[in-house]
Amino acid sequence: MITPAASLPQPRASLALAIFLLPFAAFFLRLGGAPLFDVDEGAFSEATREMFERGDFLSTYLNGENRFDKPILVYWLQALGYLLFGPTEWGFRLPSAVAGVLWSYATWHFARERFGASTALAALAVASTALGPFAIARAATADALLNLLLALALFDAWRHLESGRRAPLLRSFVWIALGALTKGPIALIVPGTVSLLYCASRGEWKRWARAVFDPVGLVILAAIVVPWYAAALAIHGQAFIDGFILKHNVERFTGTLEGHAGSLFYYVIAVPLLLLPWTGPLFGTLRQIRGDLDTGVRRFLWIWAGFVVAFFSLSGTKLPHYVLYGSTPLFLLIAVHRNELRRAPLHLLAPTLFLALLPFLPLIFDALAASAAGNEYYRAQLALALTEATPEYYLVVVGGLLAWIWLALRWNAAAWMKVGAAAVIQVIVLAGVVAPWAGAVLQGPVKEAGLLARKTGEPVVAWRYYAPSFSVYRQAVTPDRAPTAGELAITRTDRVPASGVDILYRKGGVALVRKLPD
């Protein structure tokens, strides 16, 4: 039985205000607290930095070589962050954090129009605290921006389908076009297919065709998308087609790119993890699918989520964040069904296990470092886990766990509100100490080596080692080749030769060396 929104308990004004401001805390708290993570953050940030070095804002390069991975929009936005804050973690991550905030409020606004104020606040809480959105909205990559644009496009697509008004349809074309400038064809595939499947489920083929081939909408799409793509094609020719279209789009779907493979059921595991601590409410919501399919907007939301999971399950290249393109409807559906949760203690299990894991992470990393798992480089990095775990780390993670246990046992509140409290604790703990600690372990040596190399002012090469964030911190291009006599090189400690080099810096798996004359 679906409870009318008006009869649901309404949060107090102070609690409502706190939830409403939650996105700012979730996405800006210690945004620059961790070094840039390689490979993706380092690659995006260095490509943006090189735009200024080259004076070229139409093409992207990474360490002097063409970078065709993504279109141009996210680099332009990172360039604004660069202008405001310089080549800092905060500046490069700023566009993603802003996108995360806007994504959360767009979800809130859509829910408020259709499900009421209380459900809208619940949807806002899920959107701004779930693990997946938290991660990508604090990363210097294109994913948070694309998720925002996909959400805006599909929200406006529904507004058009719901009312027949043309204005939201034309806005949807704007968001799709900006998405195509952010990450390419996927920005057209998701909204186009989701709206097609919904219209097909209602036998409204002609209505879909009229919307998709709206002449004004197509003009808007072309006006936004064509100029940069035409310029890129004119500048780079076949290299752009081979690099961007064929490699990073066609091959990414049809084959396994950069070793990112996974089984057909990869996202069955990934989705519950990415929605932590809302995993329990997600499973409770899945039980409502049959009833939801009888309601227009809820059917639309399930089709949206289901298509994204199915589409990327069939893709040869699998990365966890791909499925987040279908997470927005899950935020809304979890909020809609929050007061129908059964077996409340089970919904508290996921946040309890996750928060209980965090105090043991340094020990787990240290155990992995002492094992034969992975490669020697990462084992050397993980060996820093215990030394980088400060008393502050343990104080915050243990304090967060104890606070959650006390709330879970003593707070007389609905299950979803308890999960919401766990979500807030999760955000504070992850942003406050876990992400900075993980950054110090995995990327601290790269950053320190880059800053040291910058002080020397000498040319440096990357010697059988790929860590683009090194170039960001060094603020100079780092060619990929073997060093000549007298030249500095950044490399892995397990690749440092027994003789013929002078070691200037060595920590974890990273070494900065000078090649000695033969």
Side-chain angles (χ1 to χ4, degrees):
M1 179 177 177
I2 297 173
T3 306
S7 68
L8 296 177
Q10 304 296 312
R12 293 189 303 272
S14 57
L15 178 59
L17 179 61
I19 295 173
F20 190 77
L21 296 177
L22 190 55
F24 290 97
F27 302 131
F28 282 97
L29 177 63
R30 295 202 71 183
L31 182 62
L36 296 169
F37 287 90
D38 286 314
V39 173
D40 288 344
E41 277 200 298
F44 275 93
S45 301
E46 173 58 14
T48 297
R49 191 200 65 80
E50 288 185 36
M51 294 173 81
F52 288 89
E53 185 175 285
R54 300 173 66 93
D56 179 358
F57 292 88
L58 283 178
S59 304
T60 52
Y61 294 82
L62 179 58
N63 283 324
E65 302 293 332
N66 286 317
R67 174 174 166 82
F68 294 125
D69 294 46
K70 301 295 181 288
I72 200 67
L73 183 58
V74 69
Y75 301 103
W76 285 343
L77 295 179
Q78 285 190 336
L80 293 177
Y82 183 102
L83 288 172
L84 290 171
F85 298 104
T88 63
E89 293 92 352
W90 179 279
F92 290 123
R93 290 170 178 155
L94 180 62
S96 290
V98 172
V101 169
L102 295 177
W103 181 15
S104 298
Y105 286 127
T107 304
W108 168 82
H109 182 63
F110 185 83
R112 186 180 176 86
E113 291 175 327
R114 278 146 201 90
F115 306 118
S118 181
T119 298
L121 283 174
L124 178 70
V126 180
S128 55
T129 59
L131 183 60
F134 171 86
I136 65 170
R138 299 172 62 87
T141 63
D143 298 295
L145 178 60
L146 180 63
N147 271 283
L148 165 65
L149 294 168
L150 287 174
L152 292 173
L154 281 157
F155 287 160
D156 274 331
W158 174 255
R159 292 184 180 103
H160 168 70
L161 293 171
E162 179 182 59
S163 66
R165 292 184 295 120
R166 197 181 189 194
L169 174 64
L170 298 181
R171 286 200 305 270
S172 189
F173 275 98
V174 173
W175 310 133
I176 290 170
L178 293 175
L181 283 181
T182 299
K183 216 166 183 181
I186 192 64
L188 288 78
I189 292 171
V190 173
T193 309
V194 169
S195 56
L196 170 63
L197 293 173
Y198 175 78
C199 288
S201 75
R202 301 179 62 88
E204 297 176 342
W205 301 93
K206 291 183 179 179
R207 187 181 186 190
W208 178 82
R210 284 196 301 270
V212 169
F213 296 104
D214 182 282
V216 176
L218 292 176
V219 169
I220 291 172
L221 182 70
I224 295 174
V225 172
V226 169
W228 179 80
Y229 277 88
L233 185 59
I235 294 169
H236 302 288
Q238 188 63 39
F240 176 72
I241 296 173
D242 293 341
F244 177 71
I245 302 296
L246 297 181
K247 180 179 178 181
H248 288 287
N249 284 277
V250 176
E251 289 183 28
R252 190 172 290 273
F253 184 81
T254 59
T256 300
L257 200 62
E258 298 167 350
H260 298 302
S263 76
L264 190 63
F265 302 102
Y266 180 93
Y267 291 113
V268 174
I269 299 172
V271 172
L273 293 177
L274 290 169
L275 286 183
L276 280 168
W278 301 96
T279 306
L282 169 66
F283 289 136
T285 299
L286 289 170
R287 299 177 59 188
Q288 310 297 327
I289 292 178
R290 181 175 296 182
D292 283 347
L293 295 180
D294 294 330
T295 305
V297 64
R298 297 184 194 183
R299 177 190 294 192
F300 181 81
L301 294 173
W302 279 117
I303 290 173
W304 177 358
F307 167 71
V308 170
V309 172
F311 180 80
F312 286 104
S313 294
L314 296 173
S315 172
T317 302
K318 291 181 174 67
L319 287 167
H321 62 265
Y322 289 170
V323 80
L324 289 176
Y325 305 152
S327 66
T328 305
L330 297 178
F331 305 156
L332 291 159
L333 290 161
I334 288 171
V336 166
H337 293 295
R338 70 195 183 282
N339 285 297
E340 301 159 31
L341 300 179
R342 301 176 185 176
R343 293 182 290 183
L346 290 179
H347 300 301
L348 310 183
L349 181 61
T352 303
L353 292 176
F354 183 70
L355 291 173
L357 172 69
L358 300 180
F360 298 100
L361 274 184
L363 288 172
I364 294 171
F365 277 23
D366 187 64
L368 289 172
S371 73
N375 62 51
E376 189 173 339
Y377 169 74
Y378 284 109
R379 292 199 299 272
Q381 294 291 81
L382 293 178
L384 301 172
L386 289 177
T387 57
E388 294 293 347
T390 63
E392 178 194 17
Y393 176 90
Y394 292 109
L395 179 65
V396 173
V397 296
V398 173
L401 175 61
L402 294 177
W404 161 240
I405 293 173
W406 186 89
L407 284 170
L409 295 176
R410 302 294 299 273
W411 188 27
N412 184 23
W416 81 268
M417 293 188 71
K418 287 188 176 183
V419 177
V424 173
I425 293 171
Q426 176 178 294
V427 163
I428 293 171
V429 170
L430 291 179
V433 295
V434 176
W437 165 78
V441 171
L442 298 174
Q443 293 295 140
V446 180
K447 180 176 181 177
E448 291 175 9
L451 294 176
L452 176 61
R454 183 185 172 194
K455 283 184 180 179
T456 69
E458 298 180 51
V460 186
V461 298
W463 192 11
R464 296 189 297 160
Y465 182 55
Y466 181 56
S469 67
F470 175 81
S471 297
V472 179
Y473 293 116
R474 183 176 162 247
Q475 293 189 38
V477 167
T478 309
D480 181 17
R481 60 174 174 81
T484 58
E487 201 169 31
L488 296 182
I490 183 76
T491 190
R492 291 167 37 161
T493 52
D494 60 328
R495 293 174 178 171
V496 175
S499 61
V501 298
D502 182 19
I503 299 176
L504 281 66
Y505 172 90
R506 180 173 185 150
K507 184 177 180 182
V510 179
L512 182 66
V513 302
R514 186 187 301 278
K515 182 73 165 63
L516 298 177
D518 295 332

